[in-house]
Structure formats: C-alpha cells, structure tokens
C-alpha cells in the first residue's frame, strides 16, 4: 500500500505543495449536475465551484485540485456514468483482452497483467476480480456509454485536443497499478465506492511520456486523501501517483478523463516548422543552397551549428509577420480522430444535407463550427509533381464513435479543398453569424455559388 505522508503540527502534510481542497455541501437541483449548454459551461460545471479563470491561473499544468462533494445528486449522476454491473452487458457485445479490457494487479511495486487470450467472458472476468483481487481497466468507455460520449465530445471542443478515458474498477484491499506518471492532463471522477490516493512531486514536470517510478525514489506523498462518489480530482501530466481501494469496503470505480497528449509548444513548433521552411526556401537563395560535401557522413555537426543558428534567426524574423502557418499534421490528426457531435438517433443530420439548397440570393450560416477546422496545407499535383498551397477544411461530423482513441483503428479524413484565393470568402463565413452569398469576396457569382454548395453538401452550412 502507498507510504503515508507525515502530518505536521498544523495538519498539513510535510513538504506538501499547495493543493486546493474544496468541500461542497449538498446543493440539490439540476445546477449541481453538469451543464451541456456549451463547451465552456460543461467545463465550468465539471470543476464547480472553482471558476474557470482560477483553474487555469492557479492549477492547470501547475498543481493538483481536489474537490470533495457531499452532494447525493452529483454522486448519483456520477454512478450512472459507469458501474461494475455494466460489464456483463458490455462483455456480451464482444470485448477483447488488450484492446478493450486489461486485468492487472500491483504486486511488489510492479504491474502484473492477468489478461487471458481473445474474447472476454464476464464470468471469468468476475472470477479474476473476486478471487485474484484484480483491477479491471476498461478502455475508452465513451465508445459505448452515451453520457461519457456527451461529456468528452464537449471537452474536445473546449480544449481543442483529443480527450480519452479509462474506467478502473478495483476490489477492496487491492491496488491495480504501481506508482507512475502520465503524459496527459488527468481529470478523475469517483463513481462507486472509495479510492485512497497518494500524489508525489514530479521527477519530470509536464512529462512527455508514461513512466513507472520505483517506490524508493518518490519519497513521501505531497498529498493524501480518499475520494468518494461525486468527488473530483485534477493533476498535471508528470504528477507521480498511486491509488488503492481501502480494505473491508466495497469495490471502487473511477473514470480517468485525459487530454493534452503531445499538445505542447514543442509539438506545435515541430508541426509548423516544415511549412515555414518550405515558404522561406521559395524566396531565400541561402535556404536553397546545397549543404557541404560529406556533411551527412560526419559524426559531429559542430561546424554547421553557427550556420543553422543563422537560418533559425531568419525563420524567426519571417515568423513575426506570418498570418497563416502551415500545419503539417496536428490539426488534421485532431479532427480525424476526435468524437463526432453527440446526438440521439442515427445521426443522419451529419451525413445528409438538409433544408433549402443555397443560391446566390441566400443568406447562410456556418454550423458545427466546433467540429470544423480550416487550415492551409500543401497539395501535391499528381500530373506535374508540383506543390501548391491550398485551403483544407476538415470536419468530424462523419467520424465513428466506435473507433475513438483506439489507436490502431483506421480513420479517414472528411472535408473539402479550395484554392488559396477563397480564403477571404471562407473567413467571412467563419467570422460572421450569417453572411449573404452574393456578398462573398469572390470574383464571380459562379464561384460564390459553388463554394456554398460544396459546404452545404458536407452539412457545414445551412440557409437562414
């Protein structure tokens, strides 16, 4: 079990970092449950009573936030998100070890995986849970649980980043995972039972990869507490943590919602730098000059470091006046792999255009803006192998919920491509609540009609 923090005279843990702990009395009514009116409303209700500005100023990427709620309505709502009893019906739908479910236990500070081969059978799963005191880890439950889909889809709109989740179900007196840190921002909702947590100083703040840490390296916990149904916990990537279900009590179920994997300034620089170099090389002869002979055969590159730093200064100067950056992968990857909009029914409103066909005398407005990305990229002409800048519009309206965050599942992009000359017209549509087709900044009426018809066919605009 985790090593306990040593309390000091003032009741705080020795050497602890400030950790906001909020206790909320029962408020009752719908205001105590999540608000889905908008992405920002959803997030604010998730961290209530902490204000969004306070959260991002004091906690985001800095330190943990613990919110302990004494509200039966919130606890009941959280329990509805996922229960141990849900596993029986889910297993009947065809779950597989490794892909959908992991069975594991922390033994002597190490993770022991107890997966079988192939398909998961509920009776065997329950046997391992009861007799081996194993933790059941259910991957990406938003694929099957509608309310988690609803929450995570709104959070993806809010953060502009993929949002995944895992459910952990641990029997009494057991621990599933050894001390470790993650490469994601973590939000934990306690759904069933109680979970005892220990958090430790990061060895790698804002870590870029997952890593297990040995118990003798992490020192004493900076924070120690027990989560109960309805409680909320946030901690930044890199925070070392471990958790166990107290003995003698019922099992614990919590959902870990995570975001901001590979979403740093470093990642963004890597994504946009290639496009910036491409543009600069078109205009700067020095960038097109050949590298010294045998440079690629040299062991050390010290001799060219000064030359490279000069190129970087040129790029920095050019960047100051750049309005549009070429995104190589990040924007496209996000929109290709995110959740489709939450909906009831068959979702036909996202695959079949509806309403009036747009004409030159129509007024149109953009819809599903939170699920659409407009970016500039390079297009390779197959006939003469030349590259030119084009506008790409990607959207997630036709994405498949069933493959969300599953990694090895094949995904495809949905969207449109336009000449760079259409940028001003597209900015009009993106930047105004409604716009008259005949007032679009394009030279001909035919181009104006073709543009709005293309967007309407993809269900991205409607006539108002």
């Amino acid at each position: 079990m985790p090593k306990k923090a040593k309390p000091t005279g003032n009741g705080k843990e020795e050497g602890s970092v400030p950790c906001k702990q909020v206790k909320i009395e029962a408020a009752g009514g719908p205001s105590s449950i999540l608000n889905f009116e908008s992405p920002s409303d959803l997030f604010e209700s998730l961290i209530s009573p902490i204000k969004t500005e306070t959260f991002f100023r004091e906690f985001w990427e800095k330190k943990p936030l613990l919110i302990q709620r004494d509200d039966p309505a919130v606890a009941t709502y959280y329990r509805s998100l996922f229960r141990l009893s849900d596993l029986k019906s889910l297993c009947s739908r065809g779950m597989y070890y490794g892909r959908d479910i992991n069975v594991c236990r922390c033994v002597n500070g190490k993770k022991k995986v107890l997966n079988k081969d192939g398909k998961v059978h509920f009776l065997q799963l329950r046997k391992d849970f009861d007799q081996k005191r194993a933790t059941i880890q259910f991957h990406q439950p938003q694929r099957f649980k509608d309310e988690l889909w609803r929450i995570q889809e709104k959070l993806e709109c809010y953060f502009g980043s993929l949002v995944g989740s895992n459910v952990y179900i641990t029997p009494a007196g057991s621990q599933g995972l050894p001390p470790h840190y993650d490469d994601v921002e973590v939000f934990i909702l306690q759904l069933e039972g109680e979970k005892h947590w220990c958090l430790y100083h990061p060895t790698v703040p804002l870590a870029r990869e997952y890593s297990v840490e040995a118990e003798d390296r992490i020192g004493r916990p900076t924070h120690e507490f027990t989560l109960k149904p309805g409680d909320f916990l946030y901690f930044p990537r890199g925070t070392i943590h471990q958790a166990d279900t107290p003995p003698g009590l019922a099992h614990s179920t919590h959902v870990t919602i995570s975001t901001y994997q590979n979403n740093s300034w470093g990642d963004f620089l890597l994504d946009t730098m290639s496009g910036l170099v491409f543009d600069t090389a078109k205009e700067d002869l020095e960038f097109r000059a050949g590298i010294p002979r045998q440079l690629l055969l040299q062991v050390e590159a010290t001799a060219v470091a000064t030359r490279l730093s000069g190129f970087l200064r040129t790029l920095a100067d050019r960047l100051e006046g750049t309005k549009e950056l070429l995104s190589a992968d990040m924007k496209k990857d996000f929109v290709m792999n995110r959740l489709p909009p939450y909906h009831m029914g068959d979702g036909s409103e996202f695959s079949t255009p509806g309403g009036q066909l747009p004409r030159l005398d129509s007024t149109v407005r953009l819809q599903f803006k939170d699920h659409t990305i407009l970016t500039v990229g390079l297009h390779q002409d197959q006939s003469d192998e030349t590259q030119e800048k084009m506008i790409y519009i990607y959207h997630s309206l036709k994405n498949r919920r069933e493959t969300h965050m599953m990694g090895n599942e094949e995904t495809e992009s949905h969207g449109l491509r336009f000449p760079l000359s259409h940028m001003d017209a597209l900015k009009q549509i993106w930047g105004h609540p409604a716009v008259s087709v005949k007032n679009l900044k394009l030279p001909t009426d035919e181009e104006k009609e073709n543009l709005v018809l293309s967007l309407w066919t993809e269900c991205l605009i409607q006539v108002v």
Side-chain angles (χ1 to χ4, degrees), residues 83-85 126 129 168-173 190 192-195 245-246 249-253:
R83 299 181 178 93
L84 172 63
S85 57
R126 189 63 202 248
F129 180 78
Y168 296 87
I169 309 174
T170 303
Q190 185 67 24
E192 293 184 305
E194 298 183 5
K195 201 69 175 275
T245 304
L249 298 172
H251 68 272
S252 162
T253 304

Side-chain angles (χ1 to χ4, degrees), residues 168-215:
Y168 296 87
I169 309 174
T170 303
S174 187
Q175 180 171 335
L177 299 173
H180 67 281
Y181 59 79
D182 298 297
D183 57 348
V184 287
E185 300 296 302
V186 172
F187 301 92
I188 289 166
L189 312 182
Q190 185 67 24
L191 311 182
E192 293 184 305
E194 298 183 5
K195 201 69 175 275
H196 169 243
W197 284 83
C198 288
L199 309 182
Y200 306 80
H201 277 295
T203 51
V204 184
L206 302 183
R208 290 180 54 81
E209 57 188 14
Y210 167 94
S211 180
V212 173
E213 289 283 24
E215 190 89 48

Side-chain angles (χ1 to χ4, degrees), residues 236-257:
R237 54 196 189 276
T239 303
I240 301 169
H241 56 280
Q242 62 178 325
D244 65 278
T245 304
L249 298 172
H251 68 272
S252 162
T253 304
H254 76 264
V255 61
T256 296
I257 298 174

Side-chain angles (χ1 to χ4, degrees), residues 67 174 236 258:
I67 301 175
S174 187
S258 57

